[in-house]
Amino acid sequence: MKSHAKKLSIYNSLKGEKLIFKSLKDGFVGLYVCGPTVYSNVHLGNCRTFISFDMVYRYLVHLGYKVRYVRNITDVGHLVDDADEGEDKIAKKARLEQLEPMEIVQQYTLDFHKVMENFNSLAPNIEPTATGHIIEQIEMIQAIIDNGFGYESNGSVYFDVEKYNESHPYGELSGRKIEDLISNTRDLDGQSEKRAPLDFALWKNASSDHIMKWSSPWGVGFPGWHLECSAMSTKYLGEEFDIHGGGMDLKFPHHECEIAQGTASNGKAPVQYWMHGNMLTLNGKKMSKSTGNSILPHELFSGVNTFMTKPFDSMVVRFFMMQAHYRSTLDFTSEALAAAEKGYARLTEAMATLEALNTSLESSTSVNEMIESFYSAMNDDFNAPILVANLFESVKFINSVNDGKATISASDRLLLQTEMSAFVVDVLGLAPSVSGGEDKLAPVMDLVLDLRQEARTNKDWTTSDKIRDGLANAGIIVKDSKEGTTWN
RNA sequence: GGUCCUGUGGCCGAGUGGCUAGGCAGUGGUCUGCAAAACCAUCUACAGCGGUUCGAAUCCGCUCGGGACCUCCA
């Protein structure tokens, strides 16, 4: 464990303040993140949350924690309509497309994995599915019933929110009072199976034509949505674990229900630190599948979409996201992406420059201080934008050394190289994209640039510029400097 | 309607009771055969009105604007 690990503070949504992070078990962190519902392609807004927590995971690992990172796949259980006449999203989609539910699940799970890989997001240690944990969910429901917080009604089981609220505060995460919730609940049909409108489903009775269903002590049915996360986080991380993350929009009711379910089933609040990532906006509005205000990753990479003027690389998009704090909304525009693209190029070029930098006996600036600034940024609730700003201070320094206006010692160069790479590649997860086929191109470029250099020596500017412009048309930028000519 | 968040310069975004993040764009230089890159310098800010304070963009109140949740949502 790095000494910096002791200084990490995290904004805990439950307390509403930044607190020094202390894991339940020294050196170990249990991290649970609510994953996607695989009933359609993940859009960029979904990706932001997962990328944010990928960064969190990466930094915890960088600090030396042994992290068990669990992120679920929801492949059943989201009710499309009001809970009383609910139909699960996956089942609905399956009916529409005449497919097996698990076909839908497979298709979009693969898509999700591909997209996350594109964004250089690390796979979680465990990626459990809701359908794979029906037994665990049934057991948890039984425990909730046994403890007096759940009741059966017509083959369905509901969580008794008001009963729970008598002994535990319901709404503490989202800052709601139960009286307000009751008075603000929409009108429901009188024939509700629920005792109270606030009660939420733990298990839903399935009608005969429902295609995803399982046997349970209460009859054939399917689990309620909120339950899977409780069951799976308990199974893999324990009744109490360190960090639970997810999008801001899941705070209520989903996460509130998780707290209630965990507490009702085993008497303990499950989570130490709740973390919520903010929304990605498009045209100033939350990105959302249902409203159509969303963009898919591949549409962004290919440039085929109505929002952006050109295609953007996945690493540029990731860099762009890292320039905003995870708790702030981030607005997605073509102009902002283009700015990020240039900034990212500058950062990666400086890192390449650093490797070849001439060294001196001493450094003209404190490299140690620079590196400390990387840590202090990230230790302040994973403040990636400050880290990026501090990295650019280093970029400036590197370029100054390259210009002969500043100096760096050999040991500092090595140190800076190691740490910049650690923060840019390992923590921010920015992997300079590997372009294939360069092996064959390199000798060709050597030849072409050789010919151009001959022309330049002969002051044959027409020929040398023709070569440079021609290469530029092919997407290869040639740069001349005192040390020679470079290209990319 | 209820609860909560937010309003920063041309754009994106940090931050915070006094020391004007950062990126992109702009302007003027240096360098260069010319470019590009880089470096140096530099211009646009803290929604409005009032209050607290020696001092507020930062705290408080009001007004106006934007957003989220309250129903599936990352």
Side-chain angles (χ1 to χ4, degrees):
Chain A
M1 286 261 290
K2 288 190 160 63
S3 59
H4 291 102
K6 293 194 180 74
K7 293 177 196 154
L8 172 65
S9 64
I10 295 180
Y11 182 87
N12 188 348
S13 303
L14 187 62
K15 314 273 183 196
E17 59 183 341
K18 271 186 230 172
L19 299 162
I20 292 288
F21 176 69
K22 196 169 182 321
S23 60
L24 288 166
K25 193 169 191 301
D26 240 12
F28 292 84
V29 175
L31 171 66
Y32 188 94
V33 175
C34 288
T37 304
V38 284
Y39 67 102
S40 66
N41 298 299
V42 281
H43 68 242
L44 215 58
N46 301 316
C47 294
R48 186 191 180 195
T49 298
F50 303 131
I51 290 170
S52 292
F53 286 104
D54 182 55
M55 176 271 291
V56 166
Y57 169 56
R58 284 166 172 275
Y59 188 58
L60 288 169
V61 170
H62 178 72
L63 287 176
Y65 282 108
K66 175 120 179 56
V67 184
R68 180 177 289 167
Y69 174 24
V70 181
R71 187 185 61 208
N72 67 295
I73 294 274
T74 296
D75 54 355
V76 68
H78 274 212
L79 305 178
V80 172
D81 299 311
D82 176 71
D84 281 17
E85 44 191 311
E87 181 174 27
D88 138 354
K89 266 184 180 166
I90 308 234
K92 184 182 179 194
K93 181 95 178 185
R95 207 181 329 267
L96 285 173
E97 299 186 358
Q98 294 295 305
L99 294 169
E100 269 297 319
M102 287 311 276
E103 247 178 301
I104 307 287
V105 166
Q106 175 78 353
Q107 179 187 341
Y108 294 116
T109 300
L110 288 175
D111 172 74
F112 172 60
H113 285 158
K114 198 173 133 202
V115 168
M116 291 324 286
E117 208 170 296
N118 246 309
F119 279 119
N120 197 32
S121 174
L122 298 172
N125 300 295
I126 301 176
E127 193 168 44
T129 61
T131 55
H133 297 76
I134 299 292
I135 291 170
E136 287 82 354
Q137 295 181 74
I138 289 173
E139 284 171 354
M140 189 168 231
I141 295 168
Q142 193 58 59
I144 292 171
I145 294 173
D146 292 347
N147 291 338
F149 295 111
Y151 58 90
E152 189 193 344
S153 174
N154 287 337
S156 295
V157 182
Y158 294 95
F159 190 96
D160 192 333
V161 172
E162 288 184 51
K163 173 79 192 302
Y164 174 80
N165 192 246
E166 288 168 13
S167 48
H168 307 85
Y170 180 81
E172 59 173 342
L173 178 65
S174 51
R176 282 154 217 261
K177 292 189 181 71
I178 194 157
E179 307 84 60
D180 297 340
L181 285 168
I182 292 167
S183 62
N184 280 314
T185 304
R186 289 217 208 130
D187 293 337
L188 288 170
D189 296 339
Q191 57 268 41
S192 170
E193 296 171 339
K194 294 194 275 191
R195 284 181 193 164
L198 271 189
D199 296 351
F200 55 90
L202 298 171
W203 186 264
K204 283 294 293 175
N205 178 31
S207 56
S208 56
D209 58 340
H210 200 95
I211 42 185
M212 288 188 98
K213 53 193 171 187
W214 292 264
S215 295
S216 80
W218 315 284
V220 175
F222 54 96
W225 168 44
H226 309 303
L227 194 68
E228 56 173 284
C229 288
S230 290
M232 298 188 287
S233 63
T234 304
K235 171 157 183 170
Y236 298 112
L237 298 174
E239 292 178 349
E240 289 178 291
F241 59 96
D242 298 297
I243 302 172
H244 188 128
M248 207 82 110
D249 48 353
L250 296 184
K251 207 168 174 182
F252 188 91
H254 185 59
H255 292 157
E256 205 71 72
C257 295
E258 276 190 62
I259 293 175
Q261 287 164 342
T263 310
S265 61
N266 60 47
K268 295 173 199 159
V271 177
Q272 302 296 308
Y273 297 81
W274 281 95
M275 292 180 70
H276 289 96
N278 216 322
M279 300 293 103
L280 189 65
T281 60
L282 191 59
N283 299 322
K285 289 248 163 64
K286 177 187 168 186
M287 216 178 265
S288 164
K289 261 172 225 169
S290 50
T291 60
N293 188 234
S294 69
I295 185 168
L296 297 177
H298 75 83
E299 294 172 335
L300 191 63
F301 305 153
S302 67
V304 183
N305 63 74
T306 52
F307 300 102
M308 303 292 145
T309 52
K310 56 174 288 227
F312 290 102
D313 186 79
S314 60
M315 284 303 103
V316 168
V317 177
R318 184 167 175 128
F319 175 76
F320 175 67
M321 290 180 179
M322 291 300 147
Q323 279 192 296
H325 189 86
Y326 75 90
R327 280 194 289 117
S328 301
T329 54
L330 174 63
D331 196 44
F332 222 67
T333 64
S334 218
E335 203 181 354
L337 257 304
E341 187 170 47
K342 291 196 178 175
Y344 180 55
R346 193 162 160 240
L347 176 64
T348 51
E349 275 168 32
M351 287 175 74
T353 305
L354 174 62
E355 284 182 45
L357 227 45
N358 290 323
T359 56
S360 309
L361 282 176
E362 282 184 17
S363 300
S364 54
T365 304
S366 169
V367 167
N368 274 318
E369 271 178 34
M370 269 178 212
I371 292 162
E372 276 309 305
S373 78
F374 301 162
Y375 281 98
S376 60
M378 287 304 286
N379 275 341
D380 184 15
D381 192 28
F382 306 95
N383 201 325
I386 294 290
L387 169 62
V388 171
N390 293 342
L391 284 167
F392 273 107
E393 295 298 334
S394 299
V395 167
K396 207 169 205 176
F397 172 63
I398 290 165
N399 288 329
S400 286
V401 173
N402 197 38
D403 259 28
K405 288 173 179 160
T407 60
I408 190 167
S409 71
S411 60
D412 274 352
R413 188 183 68 179
L414 180 65
L415 185 66
L416 190 57
Q417 241 177 289
T418 309
E419 292 293 329
M420 274 190 90
S421 162
F423 276 91
V424 174
V425 179
D426 301 341
V427 174
L428 294 180
L430 298 165
S433 27
V434 197
S435 47
E438 252 178 33
D439 295 339
K440 276 189 180 171
L441 187 59
V444 174
M445 283 304 296
D446 286 347
L447 175 67
V448 171
L449 291 181
D450 235 34
L451 290 171
R452 178 166 173 269
Q453 191 49 50
E454 267 177 44
R456 293 182 75 212
T457 311
N458 298 330
K459 296 197 190 297
D460 179 4
W461 309 124
T462 316
T463 303
S464 80
D465 287 356
K466 187 178 176 184
I467 293 173
R468 186 174 64 198
D469 294 346
L471 289 171
N473 280 336
I476 297 169
I477 306 300
V478 172
K479 292 174 194 169
D480 301 319
S481 72
K482 284 171 218 136
E483 287 77 32
T485 301
T486 57
W487 61 276
N488 63 27

